[in-house]
Amino acid sequence: MKTDITSFVRTEIKGFGAYSAAKAPEEVAGETDITIENMIKMDQNENPYGCSPRVNNTLAHYRKYHIYPDANQGEIRRQLADYTGMDASCIVASSGSNTLLDLVTRLFVNPGEGVVNFVPTFDVYRFSAQVCGGKLIEIQRDANYALDITEIKKVTDKNVKLIFLANPNAPTGNLASDSDIKEILDLGLPTVIDEAYYEFSGVTVLPLMKTYSNLMVIRTFSKWAGLAGLRVGYGIFPPAIAEYLHKIKIPYNVNVAALLAVSESMKDLDYLRGNVKRIVEERESLFSGLKKLDWLKVYPSSANYILCLVLRGKASELQEKLQKRGILVRYFDKPRLNNCIRISVGKPEETAAILKALIEIGKSV
Ligand SMILES: *Cc1c(COP(=O)(O)O)cnc(C)c1O
């Protein structure tokens, strides 16, 4: 039998654009003389201070990796209830918050139904909507990436099932105003507010959950707690929605190592918050350093990264020149982010290194 198996693939997947992740250091290593150990990773908003040392210690000594985790997420939900001040019945944990964004999309969106995105924004919302066969409705942000009320009010499409809003937005770094958020919630449609960078911004919509039964909040341990590699995130939902999500999630969706890591992180909050504070302070010194370069337009950020529009030369070439010096950043060439780079906030010595490199590069652009 010579079957063309690809002819069985769902039609909406055929023209699908994959999520474009940053290159792994191993992949970059072939393109530069700098060793992986000496690379400065400012491309994926990871925590330069790593995770709590308690995590390393506990994972090294744990002896029951052969036993499945608790499918009901009992302990992690109680810990997250303490951390967020919300009830455990509202909480769903997942292997990274991205899989939870995907799960929520699968809960609400039938093929052909609308998913609203405030663009430019985090690409996973588009990704999940399209994998489900949903129809993307892109609402443009204004010139400074703020939400645009008149545009929001146009969302009257009866077919809309889900709205995504990253707050702070990625990769632009800005927060939405309270009144804009309420305007969106007043549409009465299921709305996910992605607070992946909450610990850096200090701003949350959680208190609004009392008033708005259409609000869902998603968070992650990847950035502030330094657990990106272990993949653990969570969301806070109206209890009935949490119950549905628990039903449709893959069993054992958070692995034992990730559960232990959360548990240890919760015992080391002062340490982790100290690192968050360092990163927030460092963001301000990176910001003022970048501001001095007249060939970059620098956007203020409430997260742990800074977006810059490259005013002279090409962002892609700038990214390559930095990479040659062992400094990894992201560049964007999509609509509204044309010729932009995004720099994750690192340690003080990493700020010094990138500013030095940019000053040198700037002499010839
Ligand atoms: C990094 C990031 C996440 C986190 O994804 P994980 O799967 O939890 O690592 C979620 N949303 C946004 C906007 C992000 O930038």
Side-chain angles (χ1 to χ4, degrees), residues 201-217:
S201 74
V203 173
T204 178
V205 295
L206 274 190
L208 290 179
M209 289 192 76
K210 283 196 209 79
T211 329
Y212 288 99
S213 57
N214 54 328
L215 173 57
M216 302 170 274
V217 178

Side-chain angles (χ1 to χ4, degrees), residues 199-200 224 271-281:
E199 282 77 3
F200 301 102
W224 73 281
Y271 173 82
L272 293 171
R273 285 175 177 146
N275 290 341
V276 167
K277 187 161 172 279
R278 265 180 215 110
I279 293 166
V280 169
E281 283 165 8

Side-chain angles (χ1 to χ4, degrees), residues 11 16 77 151 156 164 174 180 194 197 199 203 208 224 258 260 267 278 285 296 304 328 335 350 361:
T11 0
F16 178 68
R77 286 165 81 186
E151 291 295 318
T156 48
F164 281 113
N174 59 307
D180 285 352
D194 181 350
Y197 300 95
E199 282 77 3
V203 173
L208 290 179
W224 73 281
L260 288 169
K267 293 176 197 152
R278 265 180 215 110
S285 54
L296 292 178
N304 65 340
L328 310 184
E350 295 171 334
I361 293 166

Side-chain angles (χ1 to χ4, degrees), residues 21 28 97 113 115-116 118-119 136 149 155 185 196 199 205 246 251 283 289 308 347 352:
V28 176
S97 63
E113 290 178 335
V115 177
V116 170
F118 299 97
V119 290
L136 257 193
I149 282 295
V155 184
L185 291 171
E199 282 77 3
V205 295
H246 276 288
R283 176 182 75 208
C308 304
K347 294 179 175 176

Side-chain angles (χ1 to χ4, degrees), residues 246-260:
H246 276 288
K247 266 192 211 165
I248 68 166
K249 74 173 174 52
I250 300 288
Y252 318 113
N253 67 331
V254 187
N255 70 62
V256 166
L259 291 173
L260 288 169

Side-chain angles (χ1 to χ4, degrees), residues 77-78 80-82 84-92 235-237 239:
R77 286 165 81 186
R78 282 190 294 276
L80 290 170
D82 279 348
T84 58
M86 306 297 281
D87 199 84
S89 64
C90 302
I91 291 167
V92 183
I236 305 116
F237 303 91

Side-chain angles (χ1 to χ4, degrees), residues 70-139:
D70 168 13
N72 278 327
Q73 307 182 341
E75 195 180 347
I76 188 175
R77 286 165 81 186
R78 282 190 294 276
Q79 289 161 345
L80 290 170
D82 279 348
Y83 180 70
T84 58
M86 306 297 281
D87 199 84
S89 64
C90 302
I91 291 167
V92 183
S94 62
S95 169
S97 63
N98 286 348
T99 61
L100 197 49
L101 295 166
D102 198 58
L103 197 66
V104 172
T105 312
R106 287 199 276 142
L107 182 65
F108 290 104
V109 184
N110 283 303
E113 290 178 335
V115 177
V116 170
N117 235 352
F118 299 97
V119 290
T121 192
F122 190 47
D123 195 42
V124 169
Y125 315 140
R126 173 207 57 90
F127 166 94
S128 293
Q130 290 183 336
V131 172
C132 287
K135 190 178 98 204
L136 257 193
I137 300 173
E138 297 193 327
I139 309 277

